[in-house]
Amino acid sequence: MIATLNKTKTALTINRQEFKLALGKIGDGIDKQITSLKKAKQSYNASEMAHEVINEANIFEAIIEGFNEAEGTNLKLADITNLDVAQGWVDEFLEKYSGL
């Protein structure tokens, strides 16, 4: 599970391993797209592509929405206990593409 809901159903904690695994799958998709663009000799900006995918995915909002629907909760982004740390994981992921 990508996050753990606390016993009182008032907060979520993003699970590092599962979250990074999900980011890895996103990265695999970006890498495939880059490979296709290279083969077609088309220009691309890897950093821009990665940022666009992350922004469109709204990862944290999707996690909150999923738990709200599944658990009947009314959580908000502020209810993610380790949001700053998880954002750091996203930043690390995006940095991977900044030099390509």
Side-chain angles (χ1 to χ4, degrees):
M1 203 171 252
I2 203 159
T4 303
L5 185 62
N6 72 357
K7 291 180 183 178
T8 60
K9 294 186 176 187
T10 58
L12 283 176
T13 301
I14 303 293
N15 298 327
R16 180 183 186 275
Q17 185 175 356
E18 293 294 323
F19 189 75
K20 285 201 163 197
L21 182 64
L23 287 175
K25 289 181 181 186
I26 292 169
D28 291 346
I30 293 169
D31 293 342
K32 285 179 184 177
Q33 188 175 11
I34 289 170
T35 299
S36 294
L37 291 169
K38 282 181 179 178
K39 284 181 182 177
K41 296 184 182 191
Q42 294 181 350
S43 63
Y44 64 92
N45 180 320
S47 179
E48 188 177 298
M49 289 169 57
H51 277 87
E52 188 174 312
V53 169
I54 291 296
N55 289 337
E56 286 181 14
N58 292 321
I59 294 170
F60 300 119
E61 290 174 10
I63 292 169
I64 291 290
E65 286 178 22
F67 272 89
N68 283 342
E69 286 181 27
E71 299 290 336
T73 55
N74 192 26
L75 299 169
K76 297 171 184 57
L77 284 178
D79 297 323
I80 297 177
T81 60
N82 61 341
L83 184 60
D84 290 338
V85 173
Q87 182 60 53
W89 300 331
V90 170
D91 293 343
E92 286 174 14
F93 170 82
L94 292 172
E95 192 169 310
K96 170 183 165 184
Y97 292 97
S98 66
L100 297 180

